[in-house]
Amino acid sequence: MDFLRRYRRDKVGAYFGAILLLLYGVALTAQWITPADPMAINLNEVFAPPSWRHWLGADQFGRDILSRVILATQVTVKITSAACIFAVLTGVTIGMFAGYRGGWVESAAMRATDMLLIFPIIMLAIVVVVVAGPTETGVIIALGLAQAPQFIRIARGVTLSVKEELYVEAAIAAGAGRAHILAHHIWPNISTPIIVQATLTLPVLVLNASALSYLGLGVQPPTPEWGQMLNEAKDHLITAPHLIVGPAAALVVFVLSANLVGDAVQETLNPKLKKQK
Amino acid sequence: MTKLIVARLLFMGPAALLIVTFLFALFHLIPGDPAVMLAGDNAPRAVVDSIRQAYGFDQPLHVQYWRYVTKVLQGDLGISNYTRDPVIDSVFPRIVNTAQLAILSMLFAMTVSLLLGCISAMYWNRPLDKIVTVVSLLGICTPVFVSGLLAIYFFSIYLGWLPISGMSSWRHFILPVITLGALQAAMLTRMVRSCMVDALGKDYITTARAKGASEFLVVFKHALRNALLPIITLFGLGLGHTLGGSVVTETIFNWPGLGRLMVNSILTRDLPITQGAIFFFSMIFILVNLVVDLIYAWVDPRIRYD
Amino acid sequence: MGDGAPLIEVKGLKVHFHTEDGVARAVDGVDFTIAPERTLGVVGESGCGKSVTARAVMGLIEPPGRIEQGEILLHLRDKVVDICRLDPRGREIRDIRGSEIAMIFQEPMTSLNPVFRIGDQIVEAILLHGGMGRSQAHERAIELLDAVGIPMPRQRFESFPHQLSGGMRQRAMIAMAMSCNPRLLIADEPTTALDVTIQAQVIDLMNALRRDFNTAIMFITHDLGVIAGMADDVVVMYSGKIVESAPVREIFHNPKHPYTQGLMNSIPSLAVWGARRLKAIDGVVPSPFAHQQGCRFAPRCSHAMEVCRARSPELLEAAPGHSAACFLHQAAP
């Protein structure tokens, strides 16, 4: 509650937080709020311009673009949330274990992490898709694994510093087990930086998810996704430029809100950073 | 300094081996019979068998692995499933095209971000700074495939000034370079600004002002020279991002680069080409990282003279 | 105080910081004068506004800080300028900084730019104020390094700050400050960050330079021992105001303001009243954000009277050349 009160002081963060909540609301209720069937082909309305019937027009198969954008919101939210959870779980598990265990396990894990951090996320994601396949699950695994190194780093860093604290050493001396120490002493310290990193990661995940699907390596048609819709729209740029408006706007607004919310969460949880901004 | 160079060069070897190992693992990680995959789905049985033998897929794993590693070391990454040309031949010209795109975009991004970042820091918290901040935030939130499509529509279709795709003249470079460069510029401007704001708050800046140095000298000599240390690292990361972004940019503008080759090879299940592209991309990233580290060490007198 | 024209006159200076948490009155009405070739010691606890005053004299107040009132008159050879009226980033103040007024800082570790050679940083200061070519400036920089007692000045010229000890860096800072023969040197706690033995060396150096260069010094410190060895005149600041101002002997032998007396009691070697134990002053410096009626020292003062809490005392002469802002020494109106 205290968090919410402090967060609300940041006007920009609160405003875009509301937009982001709205977008998540749209995603959760997508099935019920689409004005038309997003999959229904209607060859009489191919490339129909925006009108009262189709607010954002219709695509090359005469499908209602607004409905497809709404459904794509759900697809994106599903993929990115799952990928985020996946990245947090793998990253935190590996990072905590590496930091706690120390020794060669730690140095091997950190070397590998350092090496992965050299590569751009989209590259890592593409490579994982090669193995996991261009399906919803494949994309979730790809994006999650590509983001995991960041979480490994943070989790390991915090674990290392907490491990040195007296109360943890006392707990170890008192014979507490590894699982107990990780869960009761180390996890509470990790959660804040991980939450901050997770919110900062969200816009990156959205951008990369749609980039993958733009490349044809994401969710496959006919399931709509913003990137994939834009890829299809590109082929009809001369005849029907209005096809790009809906997915482009939705994508940019989503990423913008997620970015600003991420900044605001970071400032709320780490007020020290604010002075530098 | 020499120790650092040697250490970093030694890092290259294991890293390359790790990548080759991963490429080898791809044969078996991807579901399906690797020999069938390499021969193509409709290949006659005899062809599949000959490939199985050539790669040694019927042999134990360590024999296959050893065979693959030695082949890669000799520069043989196999032949394309489709064109039947050696992978190296299709990959090399693509590397040059990607390098052109990435380097030009990065130069554009570096120039713009240094300029805007410094100006923003100089006018910290004043209207000019806020404008730069908002514009760069919008830039970060606009992926290349949105800005690229808008640019193509506006400049190529609506105004008819620039070609839509390809790379046959200098005019073909303008849209891809600026689209990709602008995204990088937006990201880097934010970071350059915060490095500069940080540097401008240091004590030695007050010393420089107390000497009677002009604001220009304070910002562009004293602060920038210090901020350059973190900025070089950022630019190195930025070059990595640019290469990552080039995959999408090349696809939008039909740029015959390594990224588009990689994506197409994945879509057409041409595994040797995919492996070749991953291999060279990885080597480029590792090399860029190495060069950035060395430049950093060279620029920082605390490392260079110790 | 010195006869004839003063070097710098500060009149009614008020510097406030406008922050999100409110207005901090860092300097709230300060007057003093420095005569040519004299050394003024400015004493006070941290947060009393002495560093902000020094920065104001340099024209180095940056937002959110603002000079609200007052003037800082610098007497140049041919004219008098008010530093408060100059554009802090303009040409005029830049010609004054470094050449008429130079400054050295508390932290020699961070005050030198880490990426430039020591010598080049001095050369830059010389070149900024003209009159010399690069090679001449180079020679001059080496002379200066020698003058501030840095051994092997030619080699040290090529050093980067991180290769020098704290004391050496502070010497290099002093060399840089003296490079254009300033008429006023502002030293903002120049010895605080140094070891005690190094402190003494730096003080000796500054005393020697003062004679050689005929420079006036504004010496800011919280250390009365340092003041005793350096200053001609002393002002004592408390919470943004000057509470006492007198020649150095007067301050030590006959402190008038209870705050100054408290400071004296807190020095080990100068416990004038022969107290056995050191007496720290009770309480803390009030927040600069607090808007308080009456004398700001009253809450901590053992002599506080009714009037002290109602009105703020002015800085008035209590003895010839000796002023104090305290009702104990003023006939209540």
Side-chain angles (χ1 to χ4, degrees):
Chain A
M1 282 310 97
D2 187 44
F3 168 79
L4 275 182
R5 213 183 52 236
R6 277 187 294 155
Y7 182 93
R8 275 222 314 269
R9 279 196 215 152
D10 185 340
K11 284 223 183 72
V12 178
Y15 188 65
F16 280 91
I19 295 182
L20 195 64
L21 279 181
L22 190 76
L23 285 168
Y24 272 90
V26 167
L28 287 176
T29 56
Q31 289 92 327
W32 301 289
I33 60 169
T34 48
D37 179 355
M39 306 291 186
I41 294 174
N42 181 350
L43 294 179
N44 293 325
E45 289 188 318
V46 168
F47 297 140
S51 62
W52 278 116
R53 212 171 121 67
H54 299 295
W55 289 9
L56 295 171
D59 69 3
Q60 69 273 25
F61 298 114
R63 295 175 296 194
D64 180 46
I65 295 180
L66 178 61
S67 305
R68 291 181 67 73
V69 168
I70 289 173
L71 188 58
T73 311
Q74 182 178 58
V75 174
T76 307
V77 164
K78 201 157 88 186
I79 290 178
T80 51
S81 312
C84 196
I85 292 168
F86 185 62
V88 170
L89 289 181
T90 41
V92 171
T93 312
I94 297 175
M96 258 168 60
F97 187 71
Y100 188 78
R101 173 75 204 273
W104 68 269
V105 176
E106 184 191 13
S107 44
M110 292 328 287
R111 272 292 154 81
T113 308
D114 283 345
M115 198 166 134
L116 288 178
L117 283 169
I118 294 176
F119 298 93
I121 287 154
I122 183 78
M123 281 289 176
L124 294 176
I126 288 175
V127 170
V128 179
V129 165
V130 171
V131 179
T135 58
E136 211 171 87
T137 325
V139 172
I140 290 169
I141 294 173
L143 293 173
L145 282 182
Q147 288 287 356
Q150 330 257 0
F151 291 100
I152 295 182
R153 263 211 169 161
I154 295 173
R156 177 216 173 222
V158 178
T159 308
L160 277 185
S161 61
V162 176
K163 205 172 77 175
E164 304 298 315
E165 299 279 345
L166 269 178
Y167 62 88
V168 176
E169 288 190 355
I172 296 172
R178 176 182 296 168
H180 174 87
I181 287 176
L182 286 176
H184 291 271
H185 296 292
I186 297 189
W187 170 247
N189 286 291
I190 287 181
S191 53
T192 302
I194 290 292
I195 288 169
V196 169
Q197 179 64 28
T199 40
L200 293 177
T201 300
L202 186 64
V204 183
L205 283 169
V206 174
L207 282 174
N208 284 310
S210 56
L212 277 181
S213 86
Y214 181 87
L215 294 173
L217 302 175
V219 268
Q220 297 299 310
T223 310
E225 212 282 351
W226 298 325
Q228 178 219 101
M229 290 173 77
L230 286 165
N231 188 17
E232 288 171 3
K234 192 201 154 197
D235 297 334
H236 310 289
L237 207 51
I238 298 176
T239 39
H242 66 268
L243 296 191
I244 60 175
V245 176
L251 178 54
V252 172
V253 169
F254 196 112
V255 174
L256 184 68
S257 316
N259 255 319
L260 289 168
V261 168
D263 285 354
V265 168
Q266 188 177 25
E267 269 171 26
T268 314
L269 292 177
N270 295 339
K272 267 174 259 159
L273 283 172
K274 196 175 177 183
K275 297 236 159 68
Q276 287 163 18
K277 280 202 83 179
Chain B
M1 179 85 186
T2 346
K3 237 168 84 185
L4 184 86
I5 296 175
V6 173
R8 295 314 310 250
L9 284 175
L10 284 179
F11 172 72
M12 295 273 298
L17 190 68
L18 218 65
I19 288 158
V20 177
T21 308
F22 173 74
L23 294 181
F24 170 74
L26 276 184
F27 283 122
H28 299 284
L29 282 174
I30 298 176
D33 180 350
V36 174
M37 203 154 36
L38 292 179
D41 290 335
N42 303 317
R45 181 136 200 126
V47 178
V48 175
D49 285 340
S50 72
I51 284 179
R52 180 167 293 131
Q53 273 200 332
Y55 279 84
F57 288 135
D58 46 358
Q59 307 273 325
L61 267 183
H62 66 272
V63 179
Q64 294 178 33
Y65 177 62
W66 181 246
R67 199 178 287 193
Y68 186 71
V69 170
T70 43
K71 269 169 116 188
V72 171
L73 283 180
Q74 288 158 7
D76 178 6
L77 281 154
I79 56 170
S80 159
N81 290 358
Y82 286 83
T83 61
R84 293 287 158 201
D85 292 329
V87 168
I88 291 283
D89 292 353
S90 9
V91 166
F92 262 130
R94 299 296 191 117
I95 294 178
V96 179
N97 295 344
T98 294
Q100 283 181 343
L101 175 64
I103 290 172
L104 287 174
S105 302
M106 198 55 206
L107 285 177
F108 175 81
M110 277 158 54
T111 319
V112 171
S113 63
L114 275 179
L115 217 68
L116 290 184
C118 288
I119 290 174
S120 208
M122 240 173 113
Y123 294 92
W124 185 66
N125 251 346
R126 284 188 248 178
L128 195 59
D129 175 34
K130 297 208 164 129
I131 293 172
V132 172
T133 310
V134 170
V135 170
S136 56
L137 179 66
L138 279 176
I140 291 171
C141 297
T142 312
V144 188
F145 49 89
V146 170
S147 55
L149 289 187
L150 293 175
I152 290 179
Y153 178 71
F154 190 68
F155 292 103
S156 309
I157 296 174
Y158 186 73
L159 293 172
W161 288 355
L162 294 165
I164 291 182
S165 64
M167 63 171 295
S168 42
S169 77
W170 63 269
R171 292 174 64 240
H172 288 86
F173 278 75
I174 297 177
L175 284 185
V177 165
I178 292 184
T179 317
L180 181 53
L183 177 66
Q184 290 311 313
M187 292 190 188
L188 292 172
T189 299
R190 274 189 128 190
M191 301 195 251
V192 168
R193 172 182 173 272
S194 77
C195 290
M196 285 295 291
V197 167
D198 198 42
L200 281 168
K202 293 278 164 64
D203 288 348
Y204 52 78
I205 293 299
T206 315
T207 309
R209 290 210 174 102
K211 271 187 216 183
S214 65
E215 205 50 30
F216 182 84
L217 216 57
V218 166
V219 172
F220 287 94
K221 182 181 172 190
H222 288 270
L224 183 58
R225 184 64 176 66
N226 277 279
L228 221 49
L229 295 170
I231 287 174
I232 285 172
T233 314
L234 291 177
F235 282 178
L237 288 173
L239 187 53
H241 279 131
T242 312
L243 283 163
S246 73
V247 179
V248 181
T249 314
E250 287 173 4
T251 308
I252 300 167
F253 293 96
N254 272 329
W255 191 268
L258 191 56
R260 193 159 71 97
L261 182 73
M262 177 164 84
V263 172
N264 281 342
S265 73
I266 297 171
L267 294 175
T268 56
R269 294 173 57 84
D270 191 345
L271 185 58
I273 296 277
T274 310
Q275 287 170 318
I278 295 176
F279 180 74
F280 282 101
F281 262 126
S282 315
M283 295 322 285
I284 293 170
F285 288 127
I286 292 174
L287 208 69
V288 165
N289 194 261
L290 174 81
V291 171
V292 170
D293 276 3
L294 294 184
I295 295 179
Y296 186 93
W298 184 72
V299 170
D300 189 346
R302 279 159 294 194
I303 302 178
R304 190 175 164 198
Y305 294 95
D306 273 337
Chain C
M1 298 225 181
D3 300 324
L7 174 60
I8 202 153
E9 291 174 86
V10 176
K11 293 180 182 170
L13 181 68
K14 287 191 178 182
V15 185
H16 295 176
F17 286 79
H18 300 260
T19 69
E20 279 176 26
D21 305 320
V23 179
R25 295 148 188 261
V27 177
D28 206 18
V30 156
D31 307 75
F32 62 87
T33 307
I34 303 175
E37 300 176 34
R38 299 279 287 186
T39 297
L40 175 73
V42 180
V43 193
E45 289 165 281
S46 51
C48 70
K50 48 195 200 308
S51 288
V52 176
T53 309
R55 271 157 209 257
V57 173
M58 287 296 281
L60 282 175
I61 299 295
E62 292 269 322
R66 206 165 72 197
I67 295 179
E68 300 289 327
Q69 249 180 54
E71 38 191 26
I72 300 172
L73 300 177
L74 174 67
H75 293 253
L76 296 170
R77 277 154 196 99
D78 48 351
K79 60 177 178 190
V80 178
V81 288
D82 181 357
I83 289 172
C84 299
R85 300 280 167 278
L86 300 180
D87 170 10
R89 292 182 174 190
R91 177 90 233 175
E92 277 176 286
I93 186 72
R94 296 202 321 259
D95 285 342
I96 292 170
R97 284 182 201 148
S99 80
E100 297 290 335
I101 311 175
M103 186 161 180
I104 57 177
F105 301 91
Q106 178 171 353
E107 284 292 340
M109 294 301 180
T110 53
S111 298
L112 286 162
N113 197 321
V115 297
F116 296 119
R117 293 171 199 280
I118 298 284
D120 289 335
Q121 298 192 44
I122 300 173
V123 166
E124 184 189 27
I126 299 171
L127 291 178
L128 276 170
H129 299 289
M132 258 189 224
R134 188 160 268 285
S135 59
Q136 229 182 327
H138 190 117
E139 285 311 307
R140 170 90 176 120
I142 291 171
E143 277 171 36
L144 283 161
L145 287 174
D146 193 36
V148 296
I150 291 184
M152 300 192 298
R154 234 164 250 286
Q155 283 87 324
R156 291 291 101 179
F157 183 97
E158 306 287 336
S159 298
F160 285 95
H162 74 275
Q163 296 167 320
L164 267 57
S165 68
M168 283 297 148
R169 286 188 221 188
Q170 196 58 291
R171 284 171 192 265
M173 278 295 292
I174 294 172
M176 188 158 80
M178 302 311 290
S179 63
C180 297
N181 287 327
R183 292 203 295 149
L184 173 64
L185 173 67
I186 302 178
D188 187 0
E189 306 238 12
T191 56
T192 309
L194 303 175
D195 288 346
V196 183
T197 47
I198 310 288
Q199 276 186 19
Q201 290 171 11
V202 170
I203 297 293
D204 287 346
L205 171 68
M206 290 187 67
N207 268 323
L209 289 175
R210 170 162 75 132
R211 285 190 300 273
D212 297 347
F213 286 77
N214 301 324
T215 307
I217 298 178
M218 177 175 171
F219 199 103
I220 296 165
T221 183
H222 63 263
D223 184 344
L224 280 164
V226 172
I227 287 291
M230 278 226 57
D232 299 311
D233 309 297
V234 178
V235 296
V236 180
M237 283 188 75
Y238 184 80
S239 187
K241 285 180 193 277
I242 291 179
V243 293
E244 185 158 3
S245 155
V248 65
R249 289 187 149 275
E250 278 285 303
I251 285 279
F252 280 97
H253 292 298
N254 190 15
K256 300 225 183 273
H257 197 283
Y259 177 64
T260 317
Q261 292 167 358
L263 282 180
M264 294 299 161
N265 283 344
S266 66
I267 315 175
S269 55
L270 287 166
V272 237
W273 287 282
R276 284 217 189 126
R277 282 195 300 144
L278 284 180
K279 262 172 65 188
I281 306 171
D282 292 332
V284 287
V285 183
S287 155
F289 293 108
H291 190 67
Q292 180 197 330
Q293 231 189 358
C295 175
R296 297 215 179 169
F297 187 61
R300 296 171 76 185
C301 181
S302 49
H303 307 281
M305 305 175 288
E306 196 81 358
V307 62
C308 300
R309 296 197 177 86
R311 294 192 308 115
S312 184
E314 280 180 68
L315 184 66
L316 296 176
E317 201 157 70
H322 191 154
S323 316
C326 181
F327 290 118
L328 289 174
H329 304 281
Q330 293 166 12

